[in-house]
Amino acid sequence: MNRISLDGEWAFAVGDTCRFTGDKILLPGSMVTRGKGDAVTDKTIWTGSTYDSTYYFSPAMAPFREKGNIKYPFFLTPGTHYVGNAWYERDVFIPAGYAGKSVLLHLERPHIESQLWVNGVLVGADSSLVAPHIYDISDVMRPGYNNTLRVRVYNGVDNVCVGPDSHSVTDQTQGNWNGIAGYMYLEARPKLHVADMQIFPDVATKSIKVRMEFSQDLS
């Protein structure tokens, strides 16, 4: 078995400080799809810019500012909204056979920044919106035992330079959700493996150039 799925129930909490109080969430998924976060009101602070403020004072819009009937004319109107830190934690058993291997944790799409702790040890951080967040946990895992994985996801845009009203984060399009979408798994590889491979074709010479990067120095 080279892969262990991390799909399923995780402990869940929000806030700058991690305090789990018994709340759970199913991953992969977003806080919105799981009904987590704050109820949307006419006081909600959106990630996108408001170019037309008439919604907030126009009598015609008054019915859509009432609790239970909130509808924005220029934003997606999700059931909940949250911008900040969210915490996800679960235990996973790592087989004894993983000892001596490179073990990588793959998160296809955290939104937006992630940090990972394994057994209380900070492994690292990532913030890509277009590529999976991959963490090497080989040095902190305990093969043959349950291991505690804790992921912090932050969906504020202050550290992500995508520009104002970028479609990748703003409420006019997909929404600025917090969570982890796509695949989630642990993968065991031999210590020596291909870490990266790039292929460069040359039509004129009918040749290709292959550039490979290994997990260890072969010199």
Side-chain angles (χ1 to χ4, degrees), residues 96-103 138 141 143 189-192:
Y98 278 23
K101 296 183 178 181
S102 290
V103 178
S138 308
M141 68 171 182
R189 297 181 181 180
K191 277 292 186 182
L192 178 61

Side-chain angles (χ1 to χ4, degrees), residues 2 4 6 10 86-88 92 94 98 101-119 121-129 131-141 148-154 179-180 183-189 191 193 195:
N2 293 323
I4 300 173
L6 299 176
W10 290 62
W87 303 83
Y88 307 88
V92 59
I94 296 181
Y98 278 23
K101 296 183 178 181
S102 290
V103 178
L104 306 177
L105 186 147
H106 295 252
L107 303 175
E108 183 177 3
R109 196 184 179 201
H111 198 93
I112 303 171
E113 301 176 41
S114 71
Q115 279 186 294
L116 172 69
W117 289 259
V118 176
N119 300 320
V121 178
L122 177 62
V123 176
D126 203 345
S127 62
S128 176
L129 275 164
H133 298 194
I134 301 175
Y135 295 95
D136 189 334
I137 69 168
S138 308
D139 294 336
V140 294
M141 68 171 182
T148 301
L149 309 179
R150 176 179 293 181
V151 181
R152 181 191 72 93
V153 177
Y154 176 65
I180 303 171
Y183 57 71
M184 307 171 61
Y185 61 85
L186 293 175
E187 179 183 33
R189 297 181 181 180
K191 277 292 186 182
H193 62 268

Side-chain angles (χ1 to χ4, degrees), residues 69-90:
N69 192 44
I70 297 293
K71 292 182 177 66
Y72 280 82
F74 33 75
F75 288 148
L76 298 174
T77 309
T80 60
H81 181 268
Y82 178 78
V83 175
N85 290 305
W87 303 83
Y88 307 88
E89 184 175 281
R90 67 165 291 179

